[in-house]
Amino acid sequence: MPQHHAAWPTGAHLGAPVPRGRGTRAPGGGNRAAGAALALGVIGLSTSVVVGGGLLGAVGLVVGAVALRTARRTGVGRGRAVAGVVTSALALVVSVVAAVLLVWYANQTQECYRPDSLRQYAQCVHDQFDGA
């Protein structure tokens, strides 16, 4: 017969100790906010080049902060919450950089916006960046 610790009640059908307290998963529970933060971060990062991912990244940061607080309290989902916060932050940074580059490019090529053809536009842009 196995030895039992007083703080660990035994399972009725197996006789095995069942840990209690911090870090155990509640039945049917989990940290859904951590999964949502990770999903928002990954989707935001994959769409951040078109600047739309920045919004998802911002929402992912908020949800990730909630998930981290929940993980600290329950001990469940910390890894997913951290990954969600990191990917959301990256999505936000990449979106900001993409927006800055887009504005810079538009400013550099503003004289080329009224071409008669795509070839004239391409030549104008080429001339703007070559300094001709």
Side-chain angles (χ1 to χ4, degrees):
M1 182 129 185
Q3 298 276 337
H4 298 293
H5 190 272
W8 292 28
T10 59
H13 64 287
L14 296 176
V18 178
R20 218 187 317 169
R22 187 176 184 133
T24 60
R25 185 178 297 225
N31 194 342
R32 291 185 181 175
L38 182 57
L40 286 167
V42 169
I43 295 169
L45 188 56
S46 65
T47 61
S48 61
V49 177
V50 291
V51 185
L55 180 61
L56 291 174
V59 172
L61 276 176
V62 172
V63 173
V66 170
L68 281 173
R69 188 174 303 133
T70 302
R72 188 175 301 123
R73 185 173 33 90
T74 64
V76 177
R78 179 164 165 61
R80 284 180 293 154
V82 169
V85 167
V86 169
T87 55
S88 295
L90 285 173
L92 197 55
V93 168
V94 170
S95 291
V96 168
V97 169
V100 168
L101 289 175
L102 181 66
V103 169
W104 174 80
Y105 178 81
N107 188 42
Q108 293 295 318
T109 60
Q110 64 185 348
E111 295 177 9
C112 303
Y113 289 150
R114 294 189 194 108
D116 293 332
S117 71
L118 182 59
R119 177 170 278 187
Q120 285 179 337
Y121 174 77
Q123 184 61 43
C124 181
V125 169
H126 187 282
D127 292 344
Q128 290 293 322
F129 287 107
D130 281 345

